[in-house]
Amino acid sequence: VASALGWSVATAAQGSARSYAQLLQARALLGVTQAFCSPAAYPMIADRFPPWRRATANAVYTSGLYLGYALASLSVLFSKAIGWRATCLAVAAVSAGTAVFLALVLSLDASAKRSTPPPPPPSSSSSASSSVPSASPEAAERTESGSVAREGGTAAAAPGGHHGVQR
């Protein structure tokens, strides 16, 4: 979020620059703030999504990068219509709004995680043998592939001994 806000400030500074030196400084600040976005994004995604959803979350994030590149090319049209300074200020305003929205989403996510009670500890009264899946007919359920799903997430071999793998 800090990087996104810094990015917005740097973009606004570009539009407000009154000399080449100020523009160069704003561009340097923009490069520094952009450099922190992706390295921070991937661990943030890993913290907020379970392993089976991370590939999709990373794909959405990466797609957003390319969408942003495509939208950036539209800034040429805005620049011709309203000037490059006004374009920089408009992009900075949209970027700042997006950063504030991201900060709100992350704070809601953090408060939801704090208010969620932790899972109960495993029962100490069960013996080691009770962690073995039950072989009772009530506990077993046949899956589409022919394997038998049991309590505890294990599967027994289907007829032919191939654990449900189609040949």
Side-chain angles (χ1 to χ4, degrees), residues 150-162:
R150 301 202 183 270
E151 290 177 353
T154 60
H162 57 79

Side-chain angles (χ1 to χ4, degrees), residues 6-72:
W7 192 337
S8 301
V9 168
T11 304
Q14 287 177 129
S16 303
R18 298 292 172 210
S19 69
Y20 178 74
Q22 289 176 344
L23 183 61
L24 189 61
Q25 290 170 346
R27 293 294 295 176
L29 178 61
L30 181 65
V32 168
T33 57
Q34 285 179 337
F36 289 101
C37 281
S38 284
Y42 292 111
M44 189 183 313
I45 290 169
D47 288 346
R48 284 170 174 70
F49 291 92
W52 62 89
R53 302 294 305 258
R54 286 183 194 150
T56 302
N58 283 323
V60 168
Y61 171 73
T62 304
S63 297
L65 293 175
Y66 291 110
L67 178 63
Y69 300 149
L71 291 175

